[in-house]
Amino acid sequence: MNDMTPTSAERAEKLEGMGCKRKRVEDIRFVQGKGNYVDDLKIPGMLYGDIVRSPHGHARIKKIDTAKAAAVPGVVAVLTADVLKTVNLAWMPTLAGDMQMVLADGKVLYQNQEVAFVVAESREAAADGVELVEVEYEQLPVNVDPMKAMTDGAPTIREDLKDKTDGAHGKRKHYNHIFSWAAGDKAATDAAFAKADVTIKEFIVYPRVHPCPLETCQCVASFDKIKGELTLWGTFQAPHVIRTVGSLISKIPEHKIHVIAPDIGGGFGNKVGAYSGYICAIVASIVTGRPVKWVEDRIENLSTTAFARDFHMEMEIAATKDGKVTAMRCYTIADHGAFDACANATKWPAGLFSIVSGSYDFPAAYCLVDGVYTNKAPGGVAYRCSFRVTEAAYCIERAMDIMAQKLGMDPAEFRLKNLIRREQFPYTSAFGWQYDSGDYHTAMNKAMESVNYKKLREEQKQKRDAFKRGETRELMGIGVAFFTEIVGAGPSRACDILGIAMFDSAEIRIHPTGTGICRLGTKSQGQGHETTYAQIIATELGLPADNIMVEEGNTDTAPYGLGTYGSRSTPVSGAATAMACRKIKAKAQMIAAYMLEVHDDDLEWDVDRFRVKGNPERFKTMTELAWAAYHEVPPGMEPGLEAINYYDPPNFTFPYGAYICVVDIDVDTGTTKVRRFYALDDCGTRINPMIIEGQIHGGLTEAFGIAMGQEIHYDDDGNVTTASFMDYFLPTAVETPHWETDWTTTPSPHHPIGAKGVGESPNVGGVPCFSNAVNDAFAFLGSTHIQMPHDHWRTWTAAEKLGLHG
Ligand code: CDP
């Protein structure tokens, strides 16, 4: 080796593999406005669909007259439920085992529900047609309050299910009841509460919010009558699931359906399910023989396609006098709207909510969730969260603060006393989850030291004293949150969608020149998959990341996968990618042994090559081995260098984080300023620290929006009053605080590269942290819990209730 020969470390750096802040390759097209989104698609002869929607929250449909709409120049067809019935598509199955109207059949169950689909030569003509569809309604009593859904005399939401005593998840207790789902040990929990020194009980609401991706839901359906084939381009987070569900619903054979998800502008769970717009576009294409585009507008997106949360939780904690938790109990009413179209793994009607014991060592725990129907839009998706983990984290983190307050303990000290200890991992929670790895105390202590927590509390004390003396009208709040996530759905023993196990896949082909392509069953919506999967391959195979193309979203080319949501891409497809690489590497090793005329075992891996043990000058690089795989394989070996892996994870991964927030609240206006927000995340092995930071920034911004102002609100008549960005708070760079990010690294012991998911952590941990900060500001005045969202008006009202306005 001469001085010019690059060292192993130099060669590794050049690959831009795991740990490198590699620039996002997809941004080359995105920052130039050259992304290829569904609405960029223009096909000759393409028609446009637009939807007639219900102005009422609950009403019987007496008559629909489409004659005037059909007469508008350019209108080609108008679909109603009666038309859809002729092809047996008036109702469609949901992922949650319910049935959902595609177009209103007999009555409408929530405002803006789909009533008719107008197809025209142009968007404008379709919109004109929508205006002229005449619908005669007879209004019915409305219920938008989940707490009243199961009372006597509540309006019957689902007449089709009225007399059904069994639902998809067991017995129903009321005509508006969907399911009951329980976890934990009730008897042990009740016993622990009976002998507890101290208990708290609080009603904690996580309001209905919406993922509101920048690009709304949309599709183009094109049915080829000659071949009997359907091509569907769309904003799909899970293209293969859409193909399978599309085939089951439409009866078009699955191999004749081609689903393509091009670039997607944010998903956050909103783009997982199947919507009426998709079905109508498909039927319209079959009926007209032409491609049909459907693009949702903002109001339609906010008010009809999949909402999130709407969990109403009665939470209790039991503890000893000196602050050791002994049990937790939680009863929840989940408002699923008019149809149960919740996107959960099949066995989990309340998602992974039983992670609600959080990061703490609870000896006993129990939770019970009742799902109910109301006159609201259906959905209940994992908005930047793993199937209800966000609701769970909010619930436990608020409750821990309330208990600390009752015990007169500092909330951070109370957490430190109860966090699961490092030596307890792998830790089995009272709900039966096995947390894979963690070092919570190191994370919490690092967070507290980084913000100088002690000094902040001293400053707060001085401010509180000054407030009591009437010298200031400002309150300071310090929010602490420690969360544990459960991501990577999922092990097939626990998770499936409509019976399909929730594995995921990667297929890698290395070309003769040492470049390659990796195709996956996941689908990026902005997370940077094209960049990061290539980094895994770079490290595993010793080929530069720039030499690997990553392709997702085309069901004809990608291996079957369950898609991207719930931060499952890294835990599941990231693992599949590493495992596929290892198959390739094993073959490359045999080729190297043949070429170097040694036994396989005499070779060792060194960054980008196999070298002979004890004789490092004799080696074959991966690029050389790729070439050899196509012309010089050992006798009897198949040529080529490719592999596929379907990865069924042995467990979920459990990322976690310690967040601290400081707010200053003007009690006379309710104005809340976020002075500081510090987020420490542990997502195991870090693939791309820059992308992780971007994910944290984005998720914290969403958390800020949710905690400080968002709510999909309905008035008592069922009108959705926050269906545009005029009324629904979407933070811009102007309102968004500065984020301080930090990390620790505790690899997952069961993941091939030790990585856990990260994308949703900041949303999960951020919301309780903001809420704890606002609540903490008022806690010394005797306030225990102020409901989200903490907009200025509600905060002003909280101050008013505490008598702070004189
Ligand atoms: O499923 P989704 O892509 O939404 O979530 P994820 O698996 O948490 O990944 C989000 C982004 O962060 C991807 O680009 C990952 O490759 C990256 N990431 C990372 O660099 N290191 C990790 N340990 C986890 C995720």
Side-chain angles (χ1 to χ4, degrees):
M1 206 194 293
N2 64 41
D3 287 348
M4 301 299 284
T5 310
T7 62
S8 297
E10 283 164 350
R11 280 186 280 121
E13 199 182 322
K14 277 212 160 125
L15 298 177
E16 297 203 303
M18 286 194 279
C20 169
K21 293 183 179 177
R22 184 177 185 227
K23 286 200 176 137
R24 288 169 36 114
V25 291
E26 42 276 86
D27 285 350
I28 295 166
R29 62 179 188 279
F30 292 152
V31 297
Q32 296 183 68
K34 302 277 192 231
N36 180 29
Y37 297 90
V38 174
D39 204 19
D40 291 324
L41 204 68
K42 292 178 185 69
I43 304 178
M46 189 168 73
L47 300 170
Y48 297 83
D50 200 350
I51 295 178
V52 177
R53 295 180 179 276
S54 162
H56 302 296
H58 199 190
R60 208 164 294 292
I61 295 179
K62 309 287 282 182
K63 195 174 149 203
I64 303 179
D65 188 344
T66 59
K68 285 187 189 148
V72 170
V75 168
V76 177
V78 183
L79 307 183
T80 60
D82 285 344
V83 178
L84 295 183
K85 276 181 191 164
T86 61
V87 282
N88 209 17
L89 283 177
W91 290 64
M92 62 177 173
T94 70
L95 291 178
D98 198 359
M99 291 296 285
Q100 175 175 358
M101 293 171 189
V102 174
L103 292 174
D105 183 14
K107 69 172 191 168
V108 286
L109 308 182
Y110 57 92
Q111 192 180 49
N112 287 350
Q113 187 179 338
E114 301 81 1
V115 176
F117 190 75
V118 179
V119 190
E121 299 285 350
S122 68
R123 266 195 188 138
E124 295 72 18
D128 289 347
V130 163
E131 291 294 312
L132 293 176
V133 173
E134 291 173 343
V135 189
E136 206 180 301
Y137 295 100
E138 177 191 303
Q139 288 195 55
L140 296 168
V142 170
N143 178 39
V144 292
D145 182 352
M147 306 311 287
K148 292 186 185 148
M150 290 199 286
T151 55
D152 289 345
T156 307
I157 313 294
R158 293 289 297 277
E159 282 166 0
D160 57 308
L161 301 178
K162 200 171 51 157
D163 302 320
K164 281 204 167 171
T165 51
D166 288 288
H169 304 282
K171 289 272 167 237
R172 299 174 70 219
K173 324 186 203 179
H174 184 276
Y175 49 82
N176 289 329
H177 182 233
I178 308 173
F179 65 84
S180 285
W181 179 81
D185 185 336
K186 186 169 185 314
T189 305
D190 291 348
F193 269 92
K195 58 174 193 231
D197 294 342
V198 190
T199 60
I200 61 114
K201 183 176 191 169
E202 189 62 62
F203 183 57
I204 298 171
V205 178
Y206 200 135
R208 178 174 278 234
V209 294
H210 198 279
C212 60
L214 279 186
E215 179 204 32
T216 59
C217 299
Q218 35 202 278
C219 74
V220 176
S222 180
F223 188 72
D224 182 329
K225 278 195 176 159
I226 308 298
K227 294 187 189 159
E229 291 183 19
L230 171 72
T231 306
L232 187 64
W233 293 265
T235 46
F236 306 131
Q237 291 182 231
H240 282 99
V241 177
I242 291 286
R243 186 183 73 188
T244 303
V245 172
S247 172
L248 293 172
I249 296 175
S250 68
K251 306 284 183 283
I252 299 169
E254 195 169 355
H255 68 295
K256 295 202 168 191
I257 301 180
H258 316 284
V259 176
I260 301 163
D263 287 330
I264 300 183
F268 313 114
N270 184 229
K271 294 170 179 170
V272 172
Y275 296 125
S276 299
Y278 305 157
I279 307 294
C280 290
I282 294 169
V283 174
S285 179
I286 294 172
V287 169
T288 62
R290 292 167 64 180
V292 176
K293 181 184 272 189
W294 171 69
V295 175
E296 193 187 41
D297 69 22
R298 182 58 59 193
I299 291 177
E300 292 174 306
N301 180 253
L302 280 171
S303 63
T304 65
T305 45
F307 76 93
R309 327 297 193 229
D310 221 342
F311 259 40
H312 304 252
M313 305 167 282
E314 191 180 80
M315 178 65 158
E316 295 170 89
I317 293 185
T320 60
K321 293 195 278 297
D322 60 349
K324 200 91 185 86
V325 294
T326 53
M328 61 132 296
R329 193 160 55 191
C330 183
Y331 174 63
T332 296
I333 296 233
D335 184 344
H336 283 212
F339 304 100
D340 189 14
C342 190
N344 283 321
T346 308
K347 286 183 206 124
W348 306 95
L352 305 177
F353 184 69
S354 57
I355 195 81
V356 65
S357 53
S359 318
Y360 310 104
D361 189 15
F362 279 98
Y366 176 71
C367 73
L368 171 65
V369 182
D370 275 321
V372 296
Y373 291 120
T374 60
N375 290 117
K376 295 181 184 172
V381 290
Y383 164 21
R384 209 168 187 150
C385 119
S386 193
F387 313 111
R388 306 292 192 180
V389 66
T390 312
E391 291 87 327
Y394 179 62
C395 186
I396 181 68
E397 286 307 296
R398 277 303 302 125
M400 288 298 280
D401 259 26
I402 294 164
M403 178 53 103
Q405 188 181 349
K406 184 151 184 185
L407 289 165
M409 283 180 76
D410 178 90
E413 294 302 328
F414 179 53
R415 282 175 171 80
L416 281 168
K417 189 157 189 156
N418 289 291
L419 284 172
I420 299 158
R421 295 185 315 280
R422 185 172 53 187
E423 61 275 16
Q424 290 177 282
F425 289 92
Y427 171 82
T428 304
S429 79
F431 286 113
W433 299 114
Q434 196 183 77
Y435 295 19
D436 56 351
S437 63
D439 184 354
Y440 292 178
H441 288 85
T442 298
M444 189 69 189
N445 285 322
K446 189 175 183 193
M448 289 168 72
E449 277 159 31
S450 302
V451 299
N452 203 341
Y453 185 75
K454 204 164 155 258
K455 197 151 169 254
L456 284 172
R457 284 290 176 202
E458 282 163 13
E459 183 192 344
Q460 186 186 44
K461 181 166 183 323
Q462 283 165 13
K463 285 214 153 161
R464 284 177 171 175
D465 290 344
F467 186 87
K468 282 186 206 152
R469 290 194 302 267
E471 291 164 12
T472 174
R473 298 294 288 157
E474 202 172 70
L475 295 177
M476 175 178 168
I478 304 169
V480 179
F482 198 103
F483 66 93
T484 297
E485 269 258 74
I486 171 167
V487 304
S492 59
R493 68 188 142 76
C495 299
D496 70 90
I497 287 184
L498 301 174
I500 305 165
M502 291 187 74
F503 60 86
D504 227 292
S505 57
E507 184 208 70
I508 301 172
R509 292 184 185 170
I510 301 301
H511 309 318
T513 52
T515 65
I517 183 163
C518 175
R519 295 189 167 112
L520 304 111
T522 47
K523 175 66 207 172
S524 187
Q525 308 118 47
Q527 296 93 325
H529 290 180
E530 286 169 53
T531 308
T532 49
Y533 284 130
Q535 290 184 255
I536 298 175
I537 298 169
T539 297
E540 288 285 334
L541 288 186
L543 294 169
D546 275 348
N547 286 3
I548 306 297
M549 178 189 271
V550 172
E551 190 187 275
E552 300 175 300
N554 185 335
T555 55
D556 282 350
T557 54
Y560 202 101
L562 278 285
T564 291
Y565 38 87
S567 276
R568 63 187 299 280
S569 302
T570 303
V572 193
S573 276
T577 305
M579 297 308 276
C581 285
R582 288 173 195 183
K583 288 187 192 174
I584 287 174
K585 206 162 149 185
K587 182 170 181 182
Q589 185 168 1
M590 287 195 274
I591 299 171
Y594 173 68
M595 293 172 79
L596 293 164
E597 297 180 337
V598 294
H599 191 276
D600 299 1
D601 293 344
D602 294 330
L603 293 175
E604 64 187 3
W605 177 251
D606 173 38
V607 180
D608 57 356
R609 62 194 60 185
F610 281 105
R611 66 185 180 197
V612 177
K613 283 181 195 165
N615 190 357
E617 301 295 310
R618 293 193 65 218
F619 62 83
K620 289 288 168 195
T621 65
M622 201 63 180
T623 310
E624 290 170 316
L625 293 168
W627 186 258
Y630 291 87
H631 83 122
E632 202 183 343
V633 292
M637 180 188 272
E638 280 179 48
L641 199 56
E642 55 187 69
I644 187 161
N645 182 267
Y646 290 91
Y647 190 79
D648 181 3
N651 190 4
F652 293 87
T653 66
F654 295 77
Y656 58 91
Y659 290 4
I660 298 177
C661 169
V662 184
V663 296
D664 295 303
I665 298 174
D666 179 334
V667 293
D668 294 321
T669 60
T671 308
T672 304
K673 288 200 191 108
V674 179
R675 192 201 304 178
R676 228 178 143 177
F677 198 104
Y678 168 91
L680 178 148
D681 275 274
D682 193 317
C683 59
T685 305
R686 291 150 53 84
I687 301 162
N688 184 327
M690 182 197 70
I691 286 192
I692 292 175
E693 200 176 353
Q695 292 286 301
I696 305 289
H697 283 198
L700 287 177
T701 306
E702 285 178 331
F704 171 67
I706 293 170
M708 306 311 281
Q710 293 182 347
E711 184 180 8
I712 295 291
H713 176 260
Y714 287 80
D715 69 15
D716 291 344
D717 296 325
N719 299 305
V720 51
T721 61
T722 51
S724 84
F725 286 154
M726 294 294 285
D727 306 299
Y728 189 77
F729 173 50
L730 190 78
T732 67
V734 177
E735 300 89 7
T736 303
H738 172 73
W739 309 119
E740 297 168 55
T741 56
D742 205 345
W743 72 93
T744 54
T745 302
T746 313
S748 166
H750 64 77
H751 188 281
I753 57 169
K756 304 179 178 185
V758 78
E760 64 198 36
S761 292
N763 196 322
V764 172
V767 173
C769 193
F770 283 113
S771 187
N772 281 350
V774 173
N775 274 287
D776 180 69
F778 291 99
F780 76 113
L781 299 165
S783 163
T784 49
H785 179 61
I786 302 164
Q787 299 286 7
M788 282 198 297
H790 302 295
D791 56 37
H792 300 341
W793 166 246
R794 284 178 172 92
T795 305
W796 183 90
T797 310
E800 172 77 3
K801 279 195 190 138
L802 289 167
L804 298 182
H805 298 145

